[in-house]
Amino acid sequence: MPRRPMMAANWKMNKTVTEAQNYTAALLPRAADAEGVDVAVFVPFTCLHEVGRMAENSAVIAGAQNFYYEDSGAFTGEISAPMLKDVLARAVLVGHSERREIFGETDTLVAHKTKRALDAGLLPVVCVGETKEERDAGGMWEKVSTQVGRVLEEIGEVGGEGIVFAYEPIWAIGTGDTATPDDAQDAIGRIRELLREERGGEFADGARVLYGGSVKPANVAEIMGQNDVDGALVGGASLEVDSFVQLVEAAEPPSSDGE
Ligand code: PEP
């Protein structure tokens, strides 16, 4: 069974509730027309209830951009997995590089959050990737394999279909500087090999690995054309619904009747 591609929007710290309603209302019918691709939108907490409600029973997966792994208690400013479920989130970003770099999230925290998301029935999209300095020093794989490995150590026995990784080289995020399709394939192919070594073929063949970093309508086709790339996590080019829909359409697998 080939993996189902995923196109995921990360709105970051953008959009009011009204803007989110307008976007979601425009996206829903167009996502319903997209065959064979999962469409996810990772929205600010303040919009999540509304987007979750509008997207319930639709082709669009509503997701959060972050959460904390405890369920409740004295964690001022945090949001838990049951709270996300309560507002109809079905997925959550974990360890986005902005969380790691600006807010100091460690590999261990990211691993705990991933485990908690899985246990709560949320689809975790776990972000990994290296800085420019790390890449230039030949340290891309050491960084990425450590990040992925720490998550695998923590998550226990789960099926590969229940988890998504996103390879997002930090130097390509929001910079307009996209990794070449070969660089994306190289890193994502190595992630899949690591999944195979650590968890076996069924897990590695089921887990989706996305690319993220300045994906836009002009470059999505060649990124999606790579063997191991199962979709994209998109910031800037997801903020306008027309541009995001173009990305969703580019992720649709060719139909079996050749149309
Ligand atoms: C992201 O936010 O995960 C991202 C990849 O952003 P952009 O597409 O703007 O580079």
Side-chain angles (χ1 to χ4, degrees):
M1 232 342 230
R3 289 177 297 276
R4 188 175 164 90
M6 170 178 273
M7 193 53 63
N10 174 16
W11 291 357
K12 310 195 188 199
M13 196 171 69
N14 292 290
K15 296 197 189 295
T16 62
V17 174
T18 305
E19 288 166 345
Q21 285 169 328
N22 292 339
Y23 182 113
T24 307
L27 176 62
L28 287 176
R30 298 173 76 180
D33 287 344
E35 299 269 333
V37 48
D38 280 348
V39 180
V41 284
F42 293 93
V43 309
F45 291 132
T46 46
C47 306
L48 188 52
H49 194 188
E50 189 55 16
V51 175
R53 189 190 62 74
M54 292 176 77
E56 196 178 12
N57 304 318
S58 84
V60 173
I61 299 168
Q65 298 171 12
N66 184 32
F67 79 114
Y68 190 56
Y69 62 78
E70 295 287 355
D71 280 0
S72 62
F75 302 102
T76 302
E78 294 295 328
I79 300 282
S80 69
M83 291 171 174
L84 295 185
K85 301 269 295 189
D86 189 41
V87 291
L88 304 172
R90 291 158 59 196
V92 64
L93 294 182
V94 187
H96 189 280
S97 63
E98 287 150 17
R99 299 297 320 164
R100 295 178 188 260
E101 298 284 307
I102 304 173
F103 300 102
E105 294 200 5
T106 62
D107 290 349
T108 296
L109 179 61
V110 170
H112 285 314
K113 289 185 181 195
T114 307
K115 166 96 172 89
R116 183 67 196 107
L118 288 164
D119 289 347
L122 289 162
L123 177 71
V125 176
V126 183
C127 305
V128 299
E130 81 288 358
T131 64
K132 179 92 175 75
E133 293 69 36
E134 288 162 343
R135 169 165 282 257
D136 290 347
M140 180 279 282
W141 184 239
E142 191 186 335
K143 173 81 175 284
V144 170
S145 60
T146 302
Q147 291 175 320
V148 174
R150 185 70 193 86
V151 167
L152 295 179
E153 267 168 41
E154 195 70 31
I155 58 176
E157 286 304 312
V158 293
E161 325 67 50
I163 188 165
V164 177
F165 289 92
Y167 169 64
E168 299 208 304
I170 295 171
W171 47 271
I173 297 182
T175 56
D177 201 3
T178 322
T180 65
D182 284 350
D183 286 343
Q185 169 57 35
D186 173 56
I188 291 177
R190 290 167 82 167
I191 291 172
R192 198 168 313 282
E193 275 318 299
L194 179 62
L195 301 181
R196 197 175 307 283
E197 279 161 28
E198 297 291 325
R199 287 297 172 113
E202 208 172 311
F203 184 96
D205 291 339
R208 286 174 290 182
V209 188
L210 314 181
Y211 167 78
S214 299
V215 172
K216 45 188 182 280
N219 61 21
V220 65
E222 48 180 6
I223 298 276
M224 286 304 300
Q226 303 303 308
N227 269 346
D228 283 292
V229 176
D230 299 317
L233 176 59
V234 187
S238 76
L239 289 176
E240 294 295 332
V241 74
D242 284 343
S243 139
F244 183 55
V245 168
Q246 285 181 54
L247 301 177
V248 170
E249 287 168 356
E252 283 182 80
S255 64
S256 50
D257 56 11
E259 275 176 39

